[in-house]
Each structure stands twice: as C-alpha cells, then as structure tokens.
Amino acid sequence: MRSDIVKKGATRCAHRSLFHANGFGPEELSKPLVGICNSFNEIIPGHMHLKSITEAAKLGVAAAGGTPIEFPAIGVCDGIAMGHTGMKFSLASRELIADSIEAVAMASGFDALVLIPNCDKVVPGMLMAAARLNIPSVLVSGGPMLAGRFHGKDVSVSQSFEAAGKFAAGTMDAEEMADLEAHACPGCGSCAGLFTANTMNSLTEALGMGLPGNGTIPAAYNGARLLLAKRAGAVVMELLKKDIKPRDIMTREAFENAITVDMGIGGSSNTVLHLTAIAHEAGIEIPAPLFDEISRRTPYITKLSPAGKHHMQDLDEAGGISAVMHELSKKGILHLDAMTVTGPLGERIKDAEIERPDVIRSVDDPYRKTGGIAILQGNICPDYAVVKASAVSEDMLIYKGTARCFNSEEEGVNAIMDGKIHNGDVVVIRYEGPKGGPGMQEMLNPTAVITGMGLKVALITDGRFSGASQGACIGHISPEAMAGGVIALIEDGDIISVDIPNRKLELEVSDEELAKRRANWTCPEPKIKTGYLSRYAKLTTSASTGAVVK
C-alpha cells in the first residue's frame, strides 16, 4: 500500500507515535488510509451540511475495510463574493484547492481519496487534484438546494440578483425585494438552478468520477444523500482493490461524454474553463473547437433555470443525469464503454428512463437541435469566446449594436444602474480576464441588472459569467485585454456584430484602424500588486487554455 511509506518499518516509529496521538492504533494502521477531503464551512450554503455527508462517507470506508482520515479544503461562495473584490479570488481559489489537496495527500501517504465538495470552484479544484495525484478517488457532492417559493412560483438566487435591476427600474419596491430575499434560498445546497456548481456536479457523473445522483439528488433529501455518501466510501475501497485510478476513468472519451452532457442540458459556460483545466491535469488536451464540434451534434433536451422554469429537483424527479445520458445515447453520441467508478457507462445507464418528459425531452423533440453552449470566433476573439446559447432569447441570437466600453465590472454596473445603457447597445467590460482582473471574475451583477431592467443589449467581456446569467452574454474573450487582445482596442460608438448560429463575433472596424489603435495602446498597471492574486496574475494562462497556473 502507498501508505506504507508513513507507517511501516523501524524508521517510521515516530510516524506511528503521531498516528497514535490521533487515536489510530495498529489495527487502523494495518488498513488502507483513505483521505476524506471535507470542504465544510459556514459561509457557503452548499457546504454548511457537509459534516454529515463526510461522516457517512467515513462510515462507508470503514465498513469496507479502510481507515478514513478527514482533512479540510477551502471554499469561496461565488454569490457572496459577487460584485466586489472578493470575486477576483473565486476562480483563483480553484488552484489553491487543487494544490492544498495535493500537499496533504502526498504528505500523508494516503492510499485513496473521497472528495466532498459542492459549489463552483471546489468541484473542479477537487477533480483537478484527483487527476494530478492519480490515486483511487471518488467525488460525492452535497447536492443542490431546493427552489424557493415567491408569489406562487419557484425561484432561486438568480431572481435575487435580478431584483436589483427591477428595483432600479421601479418595478419592484424595497418591501417586495426584502420578501424575495427571504424566500429565494430556503436551505442548504448548491443554488437551485443549473448554475456552475450543479453543472459541474452533474458532469462529474458523466465524467465517471461520481455516482448516479451526485448532481441532482437535493441536499434536503438527507437520507438519499447520506446513502450516496456511504456508497461512495465503499466504492473507493473497491477502486483501491482493483487499482483503478482517476486517469483510467478521466480519458479523452470521458471528457467527450461530459461535454456532450453539458451541451444536452445547457450547462454553465464556466464548464469550458473547468473541463479544460481538469483535462490538463489528466494530461489530455481539450481544444475549444471540440466544445463547438460536440455542441453542433448534440440536441438540447432540458431547459432549466436560468434558461427555463425548472430547477435541479425537477431534473432529479425526471430521472437525473442517467436519464439524460440514456436519451442522448440514442443519437450514438456517447462513449458507452467509457469507465466510471462503478463500471462501464453503458451498464450504468441502460435501465434509466425519463420520468417527466416535461423536464427531459426526447432527442427527436429537443428544445434546439444543437447544444447549450456555443464557441464564437472573429476579430474580437481570434482564440475563442463562449456563450451559453441556451439562455439567449431567439431574438438576440443575431444582434448588432453600438459599443459602450468600460475598463472594469464596477464601471459597467454603475453605468447600467445610472440609466446610461440603452436598447441597441453592446456593453464591453474588459481588463477582467485571468491576468487583467486578476482572476476573471464573474459578471452576474451586470447581466442580472440588465435582465431585471428589461434592456435589450448584449454584453461581451474577457471575464466570465455565472451559470445564473442569462441573455446575450459573451465571455472568455481571448486574447484578453491585458494581453493586448482586440477587446482592448474597442472604442465607444464602434459597431459590434453577434451571430451565435454562425459562431461569429466581429468588430466592424478595419484592420488599418485597429493597427493605428494598437500603436497607441499601452498595457495598464496591474490592479492588484501584492498577495496571492498578484502571483496568480503572473502565472495564469489564457482562458482559452483553461486559465490554469503554470
């Protein structure tokens, strides 16, 4: 066993003494040591209940003959970090999570891992660590939050963000806003729509690293969640016995399966960053055009919030991700022989059925014939840009507007709230990329305010968007402004053309004029010059390569 390096032989006498101090005696040390990484904290609603999930996973490991040893991981709540300097740390925290798990696992000599995340960057950070360490691992999440109820309708945190725009437009008063904020998030779990956290937990199933139900069983369904965690503990022991490692599971075919499911359910645009980064850790290159290639052949068969009225609990009732995959397999677009933590994918989903056809449509009657995410290219984004096409209204799929440029998210939000943005504009928010932000912060505030105010505008940025964003919101523009990308050269009054069906994003300015502007452009000073973010800005790569640190 790998853990023998910390517990066997005369030279490990001191090591065994330290284990003894923790209450681990000879019997426990004779068994495999399984690290249980618990990202519990009291700031993220999706994580506040993870102590019970962790205890269940530990029971599963112990019952299957292992010695579970718990250790922590950090987590940032994207919703609470939104709209201020804290959001700059969100994406950057993904690297801290992966690095810290690597440090603890290597220093402790663990034989295997059970990884327990729930929200946004914690899920991909843990999957990155699993791919990097390549020791038997299973991920089990805390599950999605139930939708809240407001004025007789299901709501989630996205309506709370949009309330700011409605308040500014005078269509919601302070009393109604207070009533909404008290009911939008009713309890524990990752925010109820198909936002980044729930997308990544769902894709963990498709990738093969999580059990069926990982992405959709609500956090409030305590019994089902605890049983899932116990089973995860047992499964990791089986993987250890069979010597099945993450890179045996996270193959090129597995990533193609995950991208296919992503397109079929219309997941968060952040998945382009995260799947690329996880694949990088597994030694696999996932070029941006692959996402679009798969999108073009994948029908979009669910329409969950923010694109539609359904939430994760509805998807769970409908049969969950297994039912989605079974339906998509009818098009021959999944690798059914891909390995999962419980065996071949085809075996896992063969008996899955759609229980609610109002939530999961058939591949013969999809919402759209192509997938939920589109990769755009053009002179603004010669590398790539990404848009959650499933959350764009039909009348905004092709759009031409006048540029209104801002060099930070704050400037853009203030202009929108002050009524300076009008129908027909294209809001350009730049210097918010991985290096420029730094940290590539999400733009949920401006998109939610635009939605709440009922404006018909597009927004483009070298930053990124929350999975809760909706509308013609185009992010990840690469190269970013801080690297001298064309987005840095756009001026107020320029005409920008958006053509999502044909995958085009163009600035209607001549090459000669752009060359003149470039000659006069100078790179601005970094926004943050000390601490972790200053180091991150120097080491991170472009969004087009997953914004990984090298």
Side-chain angles (χ1 to χ4, degrees):
M1 288 186 290
R2 185 172 177 273
S3 59
D4 288 349
I5 61 173
V6 298
K7 62 187 186 184
K8 283 196 173 182
T11 61
R12 297 300 183 257
C13 176
H15 302 60
R16 292 189 293 273
S17 292
L18 293 168
F19 276 109
H20 181 80
N22 284 325
F24 297 114
E27 183 179 353
E28 286 86 2
L29 294 183
S30 69
K31 301 173 183 177
L33 303 185
V34 180
I36 312 292
C37 186
N38 176 12
S39 58
F40 161 82
N41 62 46
E42 294 182 340
I43 191 67
I44 308 178
H47 291 227
M48 66 179 181
H49 63 303
L50 293 187
K51 286 183 178 180
S52 61
I53 301 293
T54 300
E55 290 304 315
K58 290 161 73 173
L59 284 173
V61 168
T67 296
I69 303 176
E70 181 181 343
F71 68 99
I74 66 162
V76 169
C77 179
D78 280 27
I80 293 173
M82 197 74 65
H84 59 92
T85 303
M87 178 45 71
K88 298 179 186 295
F89 286 89
S90 173
L91 180 61
S93 73
R94 185 187 71 180
E95 316 305 314
L96 289 175
I97 292 161
D99 290 351
S100 63
I101 292 172
E102 176 191 16
V104 174
M106 292 299 292
S108 306
F110 289 139
D111 296 297
L113 292 171
V114 177
L115 303 164
I116 305 174
N118 210 26
C119 292
D120 293 279
K121 310 310 160 300
V122 191
V123 181
M126 288 192 175
L127 287 170
M128 289 167 67
R132 187 187 302 175
L133 288 161
N134 203 35
I135 60 176
S137 303
V138 174
L139 186 146
V140 57
S141 76
M145 186 184 294
L146 292 174
R149 293 289 292 175
F150 183 69
H151 290 174
K153 295 180 179 179
D154 285 349
V155 294
S156 69
V157 72
S158 62
Q159 280 74 32
S160 295
F161 277 103
E162 291 165 13
K166 293 182 178 180
F167 183 78
T171 58
M172 178 179 283
D173 61 25
E175 183 178 356
E176 187 179 15
M177 183 187 293
D179 192 20
L180 170 62
E181 65 192 48
H183 291 90
C185 298
C188 65
S190 46
C191 297
L194 189 62
F195 313 144
T196 303
N198 290 328
T199 304
M200 287 306 304
N201 278 323
S202 296
L203 297 191
T204 299
E205 293 186 44
L207 195 57
M209 289 296 293
L211 302 175
N214 181 73
T216 61
I217 297 172
Y221 294 2
N222 187 56
R225 271 286 152 192
L226 294 180
L227 286 171
L228 192 73
K230 286 179 186 176
R231 187 171 176 228
V235 165
V236 82
M237 294 302 296
E238 190 66 21
L239 293 175
L240 180 60
K241 186 186 302 182
K242 295 178 178 178
D243 195 31
I244 297 175
K245 301 182 178 71
R247 293 190 190 185
D248 299 323
I249 295 169
M250 289 192 279
T251 62
R252 169 69 179 233
E253 291 73 22
F255 281 101
E256 290 184 4
N257 284 343
I259 296 170
T260 299
V261 172
D262 195 13
M263 299 306 160
I265 63 177
S268 166
S269 58
N270 283 316
T271 56
V272 178
L273 284 174
H274 297 324
L275 289 175
T276 301
I278 298 163
H280 170 76
E281 295 290 354
I284 298 168
E285 183 180 352
I286 303 292
L290 179 63
F291 287 85
D292 204 63
E293 176 188 326
I294 292 175
S295 181
R296 289 180 181 275
R297 66 176 183 243
T298 305
Y300 170 45
I301 61 173
T302 75
K303 198 169 188 178
L304 306 179
S305 176
K309 64 180 181 179
H310 295 127
H311 292 81
M312 295 305 293
Q313 66 208 63
D314 298 299
L315 181 57
D316 190 59
E317 286 181 15
I321 296 302
S322 290
V324 168
M325 289 192 283
H326 184 262
E327 186 62 25
L328 291 175
S329 71
K330 295 176 182 178
K331 296 280 288 185
I333 53 178
L334 287 175
H335 301 284
L336 298 180
D337 56 348
M339 178 64 69
T340 76
V341 292
T342 56
L345 180 67
E347 286 296 309
R348 172 183 287 196
I349 67 173
K350 66 179 182 179
D351 297 322
E353 295 181 357
I354 297 173
E355 302 292 343
R356 285 184 55 182
D358 62 314
V359 177
I360 304 174
R361 287 193 174 184
S362 75
V363 291
D364 297 321
D365 182 32
Y367 285 101
R368 290 179 183 167
K369 293 182 179 180
T370 56
I373 292 174
I375 302 297
L376 311 184
Q377 290 186 299
N379 62 351
I380 295 178
C381 48
D383 289 348
Y384 92 128
V386 62
V387 61
K388 186 172 179 176
S390 59
V392 181
S393 62
E394 294 290 337
D395 62 346
M396 290 294 290
L397 291 171
I398 298 175
Y399 177 84
K400 186 176 290 190
T402 305
R404 298 294 309 281
C405 300
F406 306 96
N407 291 337
S408 70
E409 180 193 12
E410 292 79 7
E411 290 180 19
V413 171
N414 289 339
I416 297 165
M417 292 291 286
D418 290 343
K420 296 178 180 178
I421 302 300
H422 307 286
N423 290 340
D425 287 342
V426 176
V427 179
V428 179
I429 298 179
R430 58 197 176 194
Y431 297 104
E432 292 289 7
K435 291 182 179 294
M440 202 181 182
Q441 59 189 13
E442 290 183 343
M443 303 288 163
L444 180 55
N445 265 355
T447 62
V449 171
I450 286 169
T451 299
M453 296 179 75
L455 291 171
K456 186 176 180 179
V457 301
L459 191 157
I460 70 171
T461 181
D462 52 5
R464 59 196 178 90
F465 296 108
S466 164
S469 291
Q470 58 178 304
C473 309
I474 301 166
H476 306 201
I477 288 178
S478 302
E480 64 175 289
M482 199 70 174
V486 172
I487 189 173
L489 310 179
I490 302 173
E491 295 181 357
D492 284 347
D494 288 347
I495 301 300
I496 294 175
S497 173
V498 177
D499 187 346
I500 294 172
N502 290 304
R503 307 303 199 254
K504 292 290 184 182
L505 178 63
E506 294 283 347
L507 176 66
E508 296 188 357
V509 172
S510 69
D511 291 343
E512 292 77 14
E513 174 60 23
L514 287 176
K516 291 178 184 177
R517 295 181 187 181
R518 182 171 298 284
N520 294 320
W521 176 80
T522 55
C523 184
E525 286 287 309
K527 293 176 183 175
I528 294 179
K529 299 179 182 179
T530 60
Y532 173 59
L533 285 179
S534 68
R535 299 195 300 275
Y536 177 85
K538 293 172 184 175
L539 298 173
T540 187
T541 64
S542 166
S544 62
T545 53
V548 297
V549 166
K550 290 189 177 180

